Amino acid sequence: MRHVNIGLIGAGTIGKGVVDSIIENGGLVEERTGISIVLKKVCDKDEKILKEIPHLNGVVMTHNAYDIINDEEIDIVIELIGGEYPAKEFIINALKKKKHVVTANKALLSHHWKELFRTASENRVSICFEASVGGGIPIIRALQESFISNKIEIIYGILNGTTNFILTMMDDNGYSFEDALSLAQKDGIAEANPELDVSGKDSAHKLAILALLGFGVEISLENIYTEGIKDISFHDIICAKSWGYAIKLLAVAKRSSSGIELRVHPTLIAEGHLLSNVKGADNAIFVKGDFVGESLLYGKGAGRRPTASAVMADVVSIAKHIVYAGVEFIMPYNLLNSSASFPLVNIEDIMLSYYLRFSVTDKPGVLAKISTVLADNDISIASMSQEDRKEFQTVPVVMITHKAREGNMRKAVNAIDGMDFVKSKTVVIRIEE
Ligand code: HSE
């Protein structure tokens, strides 16, 4: 039996899952691959966390990541501390020590992928990151290997479990945003600080990685239009539902003749669409390639065991290369070679249908004024409803539009929001068909 030694930096939720996987399924991996994955060292700065790790035969526990990075016998370093720093320093130094690296760190990859891949390439080792997007869903491997001979046209989906859980609890169980978030935290789905998730930034980090793989272009996070779910009210969820839609936080990377569209925002999705039925902390990602057509990858987008499954997929893949194909790992997809370049489509130039909820005084002429402004901006109304008449009180008026240019929509809503009968900022939510 051949052995491949690994060191784990970061023994939190996912790190514990990796240890559990080695304990529970290490034998299975041995049977299937003829390779024993040996956990040699575990590092965490928190003594309490280290104490919770089962003390396996011969595994050394340390607070110093360099005990792993400088260990000549370790072949693969797993980085699961998250965040940019000091994770970046640990990974760069591990690569320079000619160790393969497995990471789930989407924030780090989306900001520094070029430096990381270049260092890996110069040192003829690999950096693998299946766990960075979609938890246990094998989307990275699908883009790097299964769809490699396709021109990717579109990648879109639900990339964040926390926000999908919150929106599901609001939609299915009538929870407020705050109560749904508390439950997500209590159930261990949301982080103690959920800002990255609810602001849409976590989805943007993941979309940057997928777009990089799908389109071979360098994506800078500033170029991804990002809106989170904090402003989604229960009222809008109910209204959308009555029109036959669910609200989801959608991440979209689309290639067209005018360039690449990159955006993360709450979106109305028709109830018949597969994505509208992705519930709880699940994720789902559609990929459309010119040969394969449309594929849907669906599964657990977060959590200890699903994410550990993705980490172990990378570990075993590298281990097989070390044992059977020589020490050098062949990058399945050489991003550093990519010569692709596409202009980015400005968010103002995208064409979508929109859900609009106006809060207006119920008096004669209001609708006429709203529709005139919309018409002046080339926006056509597809359907409309107003709640019970309450003369001279504030009522919600909801409209669904036909496809319109985002820039025109912004101009129109801005003008409408300046009118005296508008009582609060108009809610605008994009619709994906
Ligand atoms: N916090 C993420 C989510 C999981 O809720 O989907 C890790 O990317």
Side-chain angles (χ1 to χ4, degrees):
M1 179 77 64
R2 300 284 301 270
H3 292 80
V4 168
N5 292 327
I6 64 173
L8 171 63
I9 304 176
T13 306
I14 314 303
K16 282 198 199 93
V18 167
V19 176
D20 289 346
S21 169
I22 292 169
I23 295 170
E24 291 176 37
N25 289 350
L28 192 68
V29 169
E30 284 179 15
E31 270 170 39
R32 289 176 175 170
T33 63
I35 302 168
S36 170
I37 305 293
V38 180
L39 180 62
K40 194 160 181 261
K41 288 181 181 165
V42 177
C43 166
D44 201 287
K45 61 181 189 323
D46 189 332
E47 183 63 31
K48 193 169 154 271
I49 286 182
L50 278 188
K51 284 210 170 105
E52 284 164 19
I53 294 285
H55 282 237
L56 305 168
N57 247 350
V59 180
V60 175
M61 303 286 167
T62 174
H63 297 303
N64 182 1
Y66 285 90
D67 287 344
I68 291 176
I69 294 165
N70 292 327
D71 186 329
E72 298 291 328
E73 289 178 2
I74 288 180
D75 307 289
I76 304 172
V77 173
I78 303 174
E79 178 276 311
L80 295 174
I81 56 175
E84 283 179 67
Y85 305 100
K88 182 175 173 221
E89 177 200 310
F90 292 163
I91 292 182
I92 294 278
N93 283 314
L95 295 169
K96 285 183 175 165
K97 287 276 180 183
K98 313 232 178 278
K99 298 190 187 313
H100 303 278
V101 169
V102 174
T103 178
N105 196 329
K106 57 232 128 214
L108 180 64
L109 285 162
S110 58
H111 283 102
H112 303 285
W113 70 272
K114 211 169 211 168
E115 188 182 347
L116 297 171
F117 292 146
R118 190 173 290 129
T119 310
S121 170
E122 282 165 4
N123 290 281
R124 314 202 72 75
V125 285
S126 177
I127 173 160
C128 291
F129 47 97
E130 183 64 74
S132 63
V133 182
I137 303 171
I139 179 65
I140 301 295
R141 194 154 269 102
L143 288 169
Q144 285 186 323
E145 297 183 14
S146 314
F147 302 148
I148 193 137
S149 66
N150 282 259
K151 285 193 200 79
I152 302 297
E153 292 163 14
I154 180 163
I155 304 169
Y156 73 106
I158 296 167
L159 302 183
N160 185 270
T162 301
T163 48
N164 203 50
F165 178 87
I166 293 171
L167 292 171
T168 304
M169 292 311 291
M170 290 170 79
D171 193 344
D172 289 359
N173 302 83
Y175 279 54
S176 66
F177 175 87
E178 290 73 22
D179 288 347
L181 174 58
S182 297
L183 183 62
Q185 283 169 326
K186 195 168 138 265
D187 286 359
I189 293 164
E191 315 278 341
N193 178 0
E195 177 54 28
L196 271 180
D197 297 298
V198 298
S199 65
K201 283 189 192 145
D202 176 77
S203 293
H205 290 151
K206 293 167 178 169
L207 189 68
I209 294 169
L210 297 185
L212 177 65
L213 292 172
F215 304 131
V217 284
E218 182 159 1
I219 308 290
S220 123
L221 283 167
E222 301 80 67
N223 291 328
I224 302 181
Y225 175 81
T226 307
E227 252 179 53
I229 64 162
K230 274 185 246 173
D231 293 333
I232 297 295
S233 69
F234 182 57
H235 191 156
D236 291 310
I237 291 203
I238 297 300
C239 275
K241 202 173 193 160
S242 71
W243 288 81
Y245 293 98
I247 301 181
K248 298 286 181 188
L249 183 67
L250 206 66
V252 180
K254 198 186 273 184
R255 190 162 61 98
S256 66
S257 52
S258 38
I260 292 183
E261 232 174 273
L262 296 165
R263 50 195 167 85
V264 172
H265 51 73
T267 310
L268 262 69
I269 299 179
E271 270 162 10
H273 194 289
L274 285 172
L275 286 184
S276 76
N277 289 308
V278 175
K279 305 270 187 177
D282 286 356
N283 284 190
I285 307 147
F286 273 101
V287 179
K288 186 170 181 210
D290 58 347
F291 276 75
V292 72
E294 210 168 65
S295 286
L296 172 67
L297 290 96
Y298 174 88
K300 299 283 167 230
R304 176 179 295 186
R305 289 172 78 92
T307 313
S309 160
V311 170
M312 288 310 292
D314 282 342
V315 167
V316 174
S317 167
I318 295 170
K320 286 200 293 194
H321 278 270
I322 293 173
V323 171
Y324 298 122
V327 178
E328 189 175 323
F329 185 85
I330 310 298
M331 282 262 219
Y333 185 147
N334 194 348
L335 285 164
L336 295 169
N337 270 356
S338 175
S339 58
S341 100
F342 300 97
L344 282 163
V345 178
N346 188 308
I347 187 73
E348 299 232 339
D349 291 326
I350 63 166
M351 296 287 294
L352 289 173
S353 300
Y354 292 82
Y355 160 101
L356 305 173
R357 179 164 61 80
F358 303 100
S359 297
V360 292
T361 311
D362 189 358
K363 64 179 186 184
V366 164
L367 270 183
K369 283 185 184 148
I370 291 177
S371 23
T372 301
V373 176
L374 293 176
D376 288 349
N377 285 283
D378 209 16
I379 298 164
S380 167
I381 300 164
S383 27
M384 193 225 103
S385 78
Q386 181 188 315
E387 273 181 20
D388 291 346
R389 185 178 162 79
K390 294 169 197 145
E391 206 165 6
F392 296 105
Q393 287 181 10
T394 303
V395 287
V397 172
V398 177
M399 287 182 187
I400 303 280
T401 73
H402 289 296
K403 277 196 177 172
R405 189 178 160 272
E406 169 106 8
N408 292 24
M409 181 58 70
R410 290 183 180 194
K411 210 167 135 214
V413 170
N414 218 13
I416 293 167
D417 280 355
M419 293 177 164
D420 62 355
F421 55 79
V422 176
K423 296 303 165 198
S424 50
K425 205 170 169 307
T426 299
V427 174
V428 180
I429 308 179
R430 298 167 189 86
I431 303 176
E432 199 72 43
E433 278 148 8

